[in-house]
Amino acid sequence: APLLQDFKNYAGARLWVALGLMLLGAFAEGFGILMLVPLAAIATGTASRFSVFIDWLPPDGRFQLMLLLFVGAMGVRSLMLYWRGQELARLGSGYEASLRIRAATILAQRGWAFASGVGQAGMQALLLTDVPRSALAVTQMLNFTTAFVLLSVQLIVAAILSPVLGAIALAVLVAG
């Protein structure tokens, strides 16, 4: 918990930006998945729950609108994933650099007597092993959060498409 609190203090508002990008990317992907249903229904000539929203259009117009919405959602998704990846990479690498600088600063402030007590091996372990390990833990937490947001949105989409299959997917997830 102290490591995550330290990261939260380091990241500040950028953490909210990253979370927003995670959510926007997940919702864009979910919307794109939802747009596949009317596209498939139009292609096969069958009706879907979404047909009532586009019945006023001619058949070609329905297909073009759904295709445009799908391609648009996938384009937005791609942008959000790119921006999210960039922001998470900046946060992760910046945090590691911040840890390394703070550790070196503390060693320098404590003076030679303290540093000689820690020893060369201890300082190397701190700067070359402990700092990267801490940064990796934070990166793993960010990856877990991203996966959790995406999975949550996909469960919502599954529940919209088929409540029964959505419930089954949730049960499998909980059992796992």
Side-chain angles (χ1 to χ4, degrees):
L3 178 65
L4 296 181
Q5 183 61 43
D6 185 57
F7 176 71
K8 182 180 168 193
N9 292 339
Y10 165 78
R14 294 181 302 165
L15 197 54
W16 291 107
V17 170
L19 182 60
L21 291 170
M22 288 176 199
L23 283 168
L24 288 173
F27 281 121
E29 183 168 337
F31 183 76
I33 291 170
L34 285 175
M35 289 303 97
L36 286 175
V37 173
L39 270 174
I42 291 168
T44 60
T46 59
S48 75
R49 282 192 291 182
F50 303 104
S51 296
V52 295
F53 298 113
I54 57 171
D55 279 345
W56 53 273
L57 288 170
D60 284 348
R62 290 180 206 160
F63 182 76
Q64 290 170 350
L65 175 64
M66 290 299 105
L67 187 60
L68 180 68
L69 288 173
F70 173 74
V71 170
M74 291 301 100
V76 168
R77 174 191 170 268
S78 295
L79 282 173
M80 292 300 116
L81 293 182
Y82 173 77
W83 288 335
R84 181 195 74 200
Q86 293 294 316
E87 187 60 31
L88 293 179
R90 270 193 295 275
L91 283 172
S93 62
Y95 182 65
E96 182 173 359
S98 167
L99 278 177
R100 195 176 311 280
I101 289 169
R102 286 186 286 156
T105 300
I106 289 171
L107 286 172
Q109 286 174 344
R110 296 252 174 122
W112 177 249
F114 178 77
S116 65
V118 171
Q120 182 179 356
M123 286 188 281
Q124 285 179 342
L126 172 68
L127 296 172
L128 300 176
T129 303
D130 297 337
V131 167
R133 191 177 297 163
S134 298
L136 180 62
V138 166
T139 299
Q140 293 295 350
M141 183 271 310
L142 290 172
N143 289 340
F144 173 79
T145 303
T146 301
F148 179 78
V149 167
L150 183 60
L151 182 61
S152 298
V153 170
Q154 288 183 350
L155 283 173
I156 291 169
V157 169
I160 290 170
L161 290 175
S162 173
V164 173
L165 290 177
I168 291 170
L170 182 60
V172 168
L173 178 66
V174 169

Coordinates of all heavy atoms in Angstrom, one line a residue, residues 26-81:
A26 N -12.2 1.3 -23.6 CA -13.1 0.1 -23.3 C -14.5 0.4 -23.9 O -15.1 -0.5 -24.5 CB -13.1 -0.2 -21.9
F27 N -15.0 1.6 -23.6 CA -16.4 1.9 -24.1 C -16.4 1.9 -25.7 O -17.4 1.5 -26.3 CB -16.9 3.2 -23.5 CG -17.4 3.0 -22.1 CD1 -16.9 3.7 -21.1 CD2 -18.4 2.1 -21.8 CE1 -17.3 3.6 -19.8 CE2 -18.9 1.9 -20.6 CZ -18.3 2.7 -19.5
A28 N -15.4 2.5 -26.3 CA -15.3 2.5 -27.7 C -15.3 1.1 -28.3 O -16.0 0.7 -29.3 CB -14.1 3.3 -28.2
E29 N -14.5 0.2 -27.6 CA -14.5 -1.2 -28.1 C -15.8 -1.9 -27.9 O -16.3 -2.6 -28.7 CB -13.4 -2.0 -27.3 CG -13.3 -3.4 -27.8 CD -12.0 -4.1 -27.3 OE1 -11.0 -3.3 -26.9 OE2 -12.0 -5.3 -27.2
G30 N -16.5 -1.6 -26.7 CA -17.8 -2.2 -26.4 C -18.8 -1.7 -27.4 O -19.6 -2.5 -27.9
F31 N -18.8 -0.4 -27.8 CA -19.7 0.1 -28.8 C -19.5 -0.5 -30.1 O -20.4 -0.9 -30.8 CB -19.6 1.6 -28.9 CG -20.5 2.3 -29.8 CD1 -21.9 2.4 -29.5 CD2 -20.1 2.7 -31.1 CE1 -22.8 3.0 -30.3 CE2 -21.0 3.3 -32.0 CZ -22.3 3.4 -31.6
G32 N -18.2 -0.7 -30.5 CA -17.9 -1.4 -31.7 C -18.4 -2.8 -31.8 O -19.0 -3.3 -32.8
I33 N -18.3 -3.5 -30.7 CA -18.8 -4.9 -30.6 C -20.4 -4.9 -30.8 O -20.9 -5.7 -31.5 CB -18.4 -5.6 -29.3 CG1 -16.9 -5.8 -29.3 CG2 -19.2 -6.9 -29.1 CD1 -16.4 -6.3 -27.9
L34 N -21.0 -3.9 -30.1 CA -22.5 -3.8 -30.2 C -22.9 -3.5 -31.7 O -23.9 -3.9 -32.1 CB -23.0 -2.7 -29.3 CG -23.1 -3.0 -27.8 CD1 -23.5 -1.8 -27.0 CD2 -24.0 -4.2 -27.6
M35 N -22.1 -2.7 -32.4 CA -22.4 -2.4 -33.8 C -22.3 -3.6 -34.7 O -22.8 -3.6 -35.8 CB -21.5 -1.3 -34.3 CG -21.8 0.1 -33.7 SD -23.5 0.6 -33.9 CE -24.3 0.2 -32.4
L36 N -21.6 -4.6 -34.3 CA -21.5 -5.9 -35.1 C -22.8 -6.6 -35.2 O -23.1 -7.2 -36.2 CB -20.4 -6.8 -34.5 CG -19.0 -6.4 -34.7 CD1 -18.1 -7.4 -34.0 CD2 -18.6 -6.3 -36.2
V37 N -23.7 -6.4 -34.2 CA -25.0 -7.1 -34.2 C -25.9 -6.6 -35.3 O -26.3 -7.4 -36.1 CB -25.6 -7.0 -32.8 CG1 -27.1 -7.6 -32.9 CG2 -24.8 -7.7 -31.8
P38 N -26.1 -5.3 -35.4 CA -26.9 -4.8 -36.5 C -26.3 -5.0 -37.9 O -26.9 -5.3 -38.9 CB -27.2 -3.3 -36.2 CG -26.3 -3.0 -35.1 CD -25.8 -4.2 -34.5
L39 N -24.9 -4.9 -37.9 CA -24.2 -5.2 -39.2 C -24.5 -6.6 -39.7 O -24.8 -6.9 -40.8 CB -22.7 -5.0 -39.1 CG -22.2 -3.6 -39.4 CD1 -20.7 -3.5 -39.0 CD2 -22.5 -3.2 -40.8
A40 N -24.4 -7.6 -38.7 CA -24.6 -9.0 -39.1 C -26.1 -9.2 -39.4 O -26.4 -9.9 -40.4 CB -24.2 -9.9 -37.9
A41 N -27.0 -8.5 -38.7 CA -28.4 -8.7 -39.0 C -28.8 -8.1 -40.4 O -29.5 -8.7 -41.2 CB -29.3 -8.0 -38.0
I42 N -28.2 -7.0 -40.8 CA -28.4 -6.4 -42.1 C -27.8 -7.3 -43.2 O -28.5 -7.6 -44.2 CB -27.8 -5.0 -42.2 CG1 -28.6 -4.0 -41.3 CG2 -27.8 -4.5 -43.6 CD1 -27.9 -2.7 -41.1
A43 N -26.6 -7.8 -42.9 CA -26.0 -8.7 -43.9 C -26.8 -10.0 -44.2 O -26.8 -10.5 -45.3 CB -24.6 -9.0 -43.5
T44 N -27.4 -10.5 -43.1 CA -28.1 -11.8 -43.2 C -29.6 -11.6 -43.5 O -30.4 -12.5 -43.7 CB -28.0 -12.6 -41.9 OG1 -28.5 -11.9 -40.8 CG2 -26.6 -13.0 -41.7
G45 N -30.1 -10.3 -43.5 CA -31.5 -10.0 -43.8 C -32.4 -10.3 -42.6 O -33.6 -10.5 -42.8
T46 N -31.9 -10.4 -41.4 CA -32.7 -10.7 -40.2 C -32.9 -9.4 -39.4 O -32.2 -8.4 -39.6 CB -32.1 -11.8 -39.4 OG1 -30.8 -11.4 -39.0 CG2 -32.0 -13.1 -40.2
A47 N -33.8 -9.5 -38.5 CA -34.0 -8.3 -37.6 C -33.2 -8.5 -36.3 O -32.9 -9.7 -35.9 CB -35.5 -8.2 -37.2
S48 N -32.9 -7.4 -35.6 CA -32.2 -7.5 -34.3 C -32.9 -6.5 -33.4 O -33.7 -5.7 -33.9 CB -30.7 -7.2 -34.5 OG -30.5 -5.8 -34.6
R49 N -32.5 -6.5 -32.2 CA -33.1 -5.5 -31.2 C -32.8 -4.1 -31.6 O -33.5 -3.2 -31.3 CB -32.5 -5.8 -29.8 CG -33.1 -6.9 -29.1 CD -32.7 -6.9 -27.6 NE -31.2 -7.2 -27.6 CZ -30.6 -7.2 -26.4 NH1 -31.2 -7.0 -25.3 NH2 -29.3 -7.5 -26.4
F50 N -31.7 -3.9 -32.3 CA -31.3 -2.6 -32.7 C -31.9 -2.1 -34.0 O -31.7 -1.0 -34.4 CB -29.7 -2.6 -32.9 CG -29.0 -3.0 -31.6 CD1 -28.4 -4.3 -31.6 CD2 -28.9 -2.2 -30.5 CE1 -27.8 -4.7 -30.4 CE2 -28.3 -2.6 -29.4 CZ -27.7 -3.8 -29.3
S51 N -32.7 -3.0 -34.7 CA -33.3 -2.6 -35.9 C -34.3 -1.4 -35.8 O -34.4 -0.6 -36.7 CB -34.1 -3.8 -36.5 OG -33.2 -4.8 -36.8
V52 N -35.0 -1.3 -34.7 CA -36.0 -0.2 -34.5 C -35.3 1.2 -34.6 O -36.0 2.1 -35.0 CB -36.7 -0.4 -33.2 CG1 -37.5 -1.6 -33.1 CG2 -35.8 -0.3 -32.0
F53 N -34.0 1.3 -34.3 CA -33.4 2.6 -34.4 C -33.0 3.0 -35.8 O -32.7 4.2 -36.1 CB -32.1 2.5 -33.5 CG -32.3 2.3 -32.1 CD1 -31.9 1.1 -31.5 CD2 -33.0 3.2 -31.3 CE1 -32.2 0.8 -30.2 CE2 -33.3 3.0 -30.0 CZ -32.8 1.8 -29.4
I54 N -33.0 2.0 -36.7 CA -32.5 2.3 -38.1 C -33.5 1.9 -39.2 O -33.2 2.0 -40.3 CB -31.1 1.7 -38.4 CG1 -31.2 0.2 -38.2 CG2 -30.0 2.3 -37.5 CD1 -30.0 -0.5 -38.7
D55 N -34.7 1.5 -38.8 CA -35.7 1.1 -39.8 C -36.1 2.2 -40.7 O -36.6 1.9 -41.8 CB -37.0 0.6 -39.0 CG -36.8 -0.9 -38.6 OD1 -35.8 -1.5 -39.1 OD2 -37.6 -1.3 -37.8
W56 N -36.0 3.4 -40.3 CA -36.4 4.5 -41.2 C -35.5 4.7 -42.4 O -35.8 5.5 -43.3 CB -36.5 5.8 -40.4 CG -35.2 6.1 -39.6 CD1 -34.9 5.7 -38.4 CD2 -34.1 6.9 -40.0 NE1 -33.6 6.1 -38.0 CE2 -33.2 6.9 -39.0 CE3 -33.9 7.7 -41.2 CZ2 -32.0 7.6 -39.1 CZ3 -32.7 8.4 -41.3 CH2 -31.8 8.4 -40.3
L57 N -34.3 4.1 -42.4 CA -33.4 4.2 -43.5 C -33.6 3.1 -44.5 O -34.0 2.0 -44.2 CB -31.9 4.1 -43.0 CG -31.4 5.3 -42.1 CD1 -30.0 4.9 -41.5 CD2 -31.2 6.5 -43.1
P58 N -33.2 3.4 -45.8 CA -33.3 2.3 -46.8 C -32.2 1.3 -46.4 O -31.3 1.6 -45.7 CB -33.0 3.0 -48.1 CG -32.3 4.3 -47.7 CD -32.8 4.7 -46.4
P59 N -32.4 0.0 -46.9 CA -31.4 -1.0 -46.6 C -29.9 -0.7 -46.8 O -29.1 -1.0 -45.9 CB -31.8 -2.2 -47.5 CG -33.3 -1.9 -47.7 CD -33.4 -0.4 -47.8
D60 N -29.6 0.0 -47.9 CA -28.2 0.3 -48.1 C -27.8 1.4 -47.1 O -26.6 1.3 -46.6 CB -28.0 0.9 -49.6 CG -28.0 -0.2 -50.6 OD1 -27.9 -1.4 -50.2 OD2 -28.1 0.2 -51.8
G61 N -28.7 2.3 -46.8 CA -28.3 3.3 -45.8 C -28.1 2.8 -44.4 O -27.2 3.2 -43.7
R62 N -28.9 1.7 -44.1 CA -28.7 1.1 -42.8 C -27.3 0.4 -42.7 O -26.6 0.6 -41.7 CB -29.8 -0.1 -42.6 CG -31.2 0.4 -42.4 CD -32.1 -0.7 -42.3 NE -33.4 -0.3 -42.7 CZ -34.4 -1.1 -43.1 NH1 -34.2 -2.4 -43.1 NH2 -35.5 -0.6 -43.4
F63 N -27.0 -0.3 -43.7 CA -25.7 -0.9 -43.7 C -24.5 0.1 -43.7 O -23.6 0.0 -42.9 CB -25.5 -1.8 -45.0 CG -24.2 -2.5 -45.0 CD1 -24.0 -3.6 -44.2 CD2 -23.2 -2.1 -45.8 CE1 -22.8 -4.3 -44.2 CE2 -22.0 -2.8 -45.8 CZ -21.8 -3.9 -45.0
Q64 N -24.7 1.2 -44.4 CA -23.6 2.2 -44.5 C -23.5 2.9 -43.1 O -22.4 3.1 -42.6 CB -23.9 3.2 -45.6 CG -23.7 2.6 -46.9 CD -24.2 3.5 -48.1 OE1 -24.8 4.5 -47.8 NE2 -23.8 3.2 -49.3
L65 N -24.6 3.2 -42.5 CA -24.6 3.8 -41.2 C -24.0 2.9 -40.1 O -23.1 3.4 -39.3 CB -26.0 4.2 -40.7 CG -26.1 4.8 -39.3 CD1 -25.4 6.1 -39.2 CD2 -27.6 5.0 -38.9
M66 N -24.4 1.7 -40.1 CA -23.8 0.7 -39.1 C -22.3 0.5 -39.4 O -21.5 0.5 -38.4 CB -24.5 -0.6 -39.1 CG -26.0 -0.5 -38.6 SD -26.0 0.0 -36.9 CE -26.6 1.6 -37.0
L67 N -21.9 0.4 -40.6 CA -20.5 0.3 -40.9 C -19.7 1.5 -40.5 O -18.6 1.4 -40.0 CB -20.4 0.0 -42.4 CG -18.9 -0.4 -42.9 CD1 -18.4 -1.6 -42.2 CD2 -18.9 -0.6 -44.4
L68 N -20.3 2.7 -40.8 CA -19.7 3.9 -40.4 C -19.5 4.0 -38.9 O -18.4 4.4 -38.4 CB -20.5 5.1 -40.9 CG -19.9 6.5 -40.5 CD1 -18.6 6.7 -41.3 CD2 -20.9 7.6 -40.9
L69 N -20.6 3.6 -38.1 CA -20.5 3.6 -36.7 C -19.4 2.6 -36.2 O -18.7 2.9 -35.2 CB -21.8 3.3 -36.0 CG -22.9 4.4 -36.2 CD1 -24.2 3.9 -35.7 CD2 -22.4 5.7 -35.4
F70 N -19.4 1.5 -36.8 CA -18.4 0.5 -36.4 C -17.0 0.9 -36.6 O -16.1 0.9 -35.7 CB -18.7 -0.9 -37.1 CG -17.6 -1.9 -36.8 CD1 -17.6 -2.6 -35.6 CD2 -16.7 -2.2 -37.8 CE1 -16.6 -3.5 -35.4 CE2 -15.7 -3.2 -37.6 CZ -15.7 -3.8 -36.4
V71 N -16.7 1.4 -37.8 CA -15.4 1.9 -38.2 C -15.0 3.1 -37.3 O -13.9 3.2 -36.9 CB -15.3 2.2 -39.7 CG1 -14.0 2.9 -40.1 CG2 -15.4 0.9 -40.5
G72 N -15.9 4.0 -37.1 CA -15.7 5.1 -36.2 C -15.3 4.7 -34.8 O -14.4 5.2 -34.2
A73 N -16.1 3.7 -34.3 CA -15.8 3.2 -32.9 C -14.4 2.6 -32.9 O -13.7 2.8 -31.9 CB -16.9 2.2 -32.5
M74 N -14.1 1.8 -33.9 CA -12.8 1.2 -33.9 C -11.6 2.2 -34.0 O -10.6 2.0 -33.5 CB -12.7 0.1 -35.0 CG -13.6 -1.1 -34.7 SD -13.2 -2.0 -33.2 CE -14.4 -1.4 -32.1
G75 N -11.9 3.3 -34.8 CA -10.9 4.3 -34.9 C -10.7 5.0 -33.6 O -9.6 5.3 -33.2
V76 N -11.8 5.3 -32.9 CA -11.7 6.0 -31.6 C -11.0 5.0 -30.6 O -10.1 5.5 -29.8 CB -13.1 6.4 -31.1 CG1 -13.1 6.8 -29.6 CG2 -13.7 7.5 -31.9
R77 N -11.3 3.8 -30.7 CA -10.7 2.8 -29.8 C -9.2 2.8 -30.0 O -8.4 2.8 -29.1 CB -11.3 1.4 -30.1 CG -10.6 0.3 -29.4 CD -11.0 -1.1 -29.9 NE -10.2 -2.1 -29.4 CZ -9.1 -2.6 -29.9 NH1 -8.7 -2.1 -31.1 NH2 -8.4 -3.5 -29.4
S78 N -8.8 2.8 -31.3 CA -7.3 2.7 -31.6 C -6.6 4.0 -31.0 O -5.5 3.9 -30.5 CB -7.1 2.6 -33.1 OG -7.6 1.4 -33.6
L79 N -7.2 5.1 -31.2 CA -6.6 6.4 -30.7 C -6.6 6.3 -29.1 O -5.5 6.7 -28.6 CB -7.5 7.6 -31.1 CG -7.3 8.1 -32.5 CD1 -8.3 9.2 -32.8 CD2 -5.8 8.6 -32.7
M80 N -7.6 5.9 -28.5 CA -7.6 5.8 -27.0 C -6.6 4.8 -26.5 O -5.9 5.1 -25.6 CB -9.0 5.4 -26.5 CG -10.1 6.4 -26.7 SD -9.8 7.9 -25.9 CE -9.7 9.0 -27.3
L81 N -6.4 3.7 -27.2 CA -5.4 2.7 -26.8 C -4.0 3.2 -27.0 O -3.1 3.0 -26.2 CB -5.6 1.4 -27.6 CG -6.9 0.6 -27.3 CD1 -6.9 -0.7 -28.1 CD2 -7.1 0.3 -25.8

